[in-house]
Amino acid sequence: MQPKPNIIHLPVYQPGKPVEDVKRELGLTEVLKLASNENPFGSSPKVKEAIARELENISIYPDGAAVDLTNAVAGHYGVNADQVIFGAGSDEIILMIARAFLVPGDETIMADQTFPQYKHNCQIENATIVEVPLRDGTHDLNAMLERVTDKTKVIWVCNPNNPTGTINTAEEVEQFLSKVPGRVLVVLDEAYCEYIDDPSFPDGVKLLKRYPNVVTLRTFSKIYGLASLRIGFGIGRPDVIRSINQVREPFNTSRIAQAAALAALQDDDFVTKCRVANKEGLAYYNRSFAELGLEAFPAHGNFIMVDVKRPAQEVFDALLRKGIIVRPGHRHYPTHIRITVGSGEQNEKVIAALTAVLQEIAIKV
């Protein structure tokens, strides 16, 4: 049985290394995973209560239209219900956008170092991938504009960018959108936006009023702490959302995920506490990196990408032996590792381990 020719060489997505695998392989009893940008503080207590209640309905199909959650999200963001779509994580919405709008021969523009699922799903649709180099770790929106042609259908902007953590400002994004042809869909992936308190950061939802060709993506996986339940959402103009909905699989989000997301959305205090703790963690990492003589990209999500000035895989392997899992393997940044911001205690363990690793490597050299 032969697969489609255009997918033969596609890589399989590699998540952060599982904790149990590391324990088993290295004989460790304690392993700290800070590789997948998960919330170290878990989820709201209200989420756990909602899940417990929903267990009674586990044998019943979910509401395919997620009506209650749709209305709650629409109210929260000040949009209409027909402007919202849900997916099994925002990455499923990326898949649906590619399926709904791209055909072979279409061009799609993205950064050369960004969330890999944009490229992956566009390749599956046999679209032509146009990658634009980041500038100082940030989307070069002017260079992306220069690559727009009559064949361009979709442009992807990850803001904050994963893995670098940098942002494009509201001024930059609005100037960009004002010049993108209205026939081109612009996807603003704002998966980490709840962590940001920088007033220069744009709000993709508000931009919809002026730019009907925008879709913004959000998720419950990050600050809300529902990563394992796989639920995210997109907000756009009704006609755009309807097109995406036409390729959505039935019952693509579970009853438990919908109930948990609805509860999570109602706990602003939990979100605020996580944002404050994350900001403190980023400040700690930046101070520590400066003391180690290392430079990091300006971080705005719940992770930070630092140049360890040595092959990233070497540092990753050494940290792994100390029970610390981070994220290496960024093709355009071979000496950088990405570290999720953890609790205060976890962050201190990472810096202690990284300090020891860099000293050990320096001695070997």
Side-chain angles (χ1 to χ4, degrees):
M1 185 69 68
Q2 290 295 318
K4 294 165 62 176
N6 60 300
I7 73 164
I8 291 175
H9 302 294
L10 292 186
V12 175
Y13 181 79
Q14 297 296 322
K17 199 168 180 65
V19 169
E20 293 307 316
D21 285 359
V22 176
K23 287 182 177 180
R24 183 171 55 253
E25 292 169 8
L26 299 178
L28 299 172
T29 57
E30 181 180 354
V31 172
L32 175 59
K33 181 188 175 188
L34 293 175
S36 299
N37 302 342
E38 296 149 332
N39 189 337
F41 306 108
S43 58
S44 163
K46 293 182 179 180
V47 165
K48 299 177 179 67
E49 295 170 3
I51 290 174
R53 289 192 300 269
E54 197 58 41
L55 288 176
E56 294 184 6
N57 300 317
I58 202 165
S59 63
I60 303 172
Y61 280 114
D63 174 5
V67 171
D68 289 345
L69 182 58
T70 296
N71 289 333
V73 167
H76 186 82
Y77 289 98
V79 299
N80 297 324
D82 60 0
Q83 292 184 257
V84 182
I85 186 170
F86 289 91
S90 56
D91 42 352
E92 189 194 18
I93 303 174
I94 294 167
L95 179 154
M96 291 190 282
I97 290 172
R99 180 178 291 179
F101 293 101
L102 296 174
V103 298
D106 285 342
E107 293 180 358
T108 180
I109 300 172
M110 62 198 69
D112 66 345
Q113 187 73 76
T114 190
F115 187 48
Q117 293 309 100
Y118 310 143
K119 182 176 182 179
H120 181 81
N121 284 292
C122 294
Q123 286 176 315
I124 290 173
E125 302 305 325
N126 212 11
T128 300
I129 312 298
V130 179
E131 294 184 285
V132 177
L134 295 174
R135 183 178 60 184
D136 299 326
T138 304
H139 281 70
D140 189 340
L141 298 180
N142 289 330
M144 295 176 87
L145 274 173
E146 292 174 358
R147 302 300 298 274
V148 173
T149 72
D150 292 340
K151 295 182 178 180
T152 305
K153 290 287 287 294
V154 182
I155 301 175
W156 309 85
V157 179
C158 189
N159 201 31
N161 187 43
N162 181 8
T164 56
T166 57
I167 63 169
N168 290 98
T169 66
E171 181 180 3
E172 292 170 343
V173 171
E174 290 210 51
Q175 287 181 355
F176 170 73
L177 292 174
S178 69
K179 297 175 183 176
V180 173
R183 60 177 175 77
V184 177
L185 184 67
V186 178
V187 182
L188 299 179
D189 188 346
E190 300 174 330
Y192 299 92
C193 65
E194 292 88 359
Y195 284 105
I196 300 174
D197 59 6
D198 187 330
S200 72
F201 183 73
D203 183 338
V205 176
K206 293 180 180 178
L207 291 172
L208 291 174
K209 296 178 181 178
R210 294 180 57 192
Y211 304 101
N213 57 329
V214 166
V215 171
T216 182
L217 304 184
R218 305 286 176 95
T219 184
F220 286 98
S221 295
K222 302 305 177 184
I223 204 165
Y224 292 107
L226 307 186
S228 69
L229 296 182
R230 312 308 302 125
I231 187 160
F233 59 99
I235 301 177
R237 289 294 182 95
D239 57 326
V240 175
I241 295 302
R242 181 179 182 277
S243 295
I244 301 171
N245 241 325
Q246 288 176 304
V247 301
R248 180 178 61 83
E249 296 294 328
F251 311 122
N252 64 323
T253 59
S254 71
R255 296 188 69 97
I256 290 177
Q258 291 178 27
L262 184 58
L265 197 65
Q266 296 168 351
D267 194 344
D268 290 334
D269 288 343
F270 176 79
V271 171
T272 299
K273 289 176 182 177
C274 291
R275 183 188 301 115
V276 170
N278 184 75
K279 186 175 182 179
E280 293 171 350
L282 286 174
Y284 171 76
Y285 272 126
N286 280 311
R287 290 195 304 272
S288 300
F289 293 149
E291 292 171 1
L292 291 170
L294 306 178
E295 295 182 0
F297 286 114
H300 294 85
N302 68 334
F303 58 92
I304 189 165
M305 191 171 177
V306 60
D307 185 357
V308 292
K309 299 182 179 181
R310 294 155 181 82
Q313 190 64 44
E314 181 181 5
V315 174
F316 168 81
D317 291 338
L319 285 173
L320 201 62
R321 290 191 291 271
K322 295 182 181 297
I324 306 291
I325 309 174
V326 296
R327 190 78 159 169
H330 304 99
R331 56 185 172 137
H332 294 292
Y333 297 98
T335 61
H336 287 68
I337 58 174
R338 190 193 71 189
I339 306 170
T340 302
V341 178
S343 65
E345 181 182 359
Q346 290 172 334
N347 298 334
E348 290 175 1
K349 288 182 179 180
V350 170
I351 291 301
L354 180 61
T355 301
V357 163
L358 295 178
Q359 291 174 344
E360 291 166 6
I361 293 175
I363 292 172
K364 291 180 181 178
V365 174

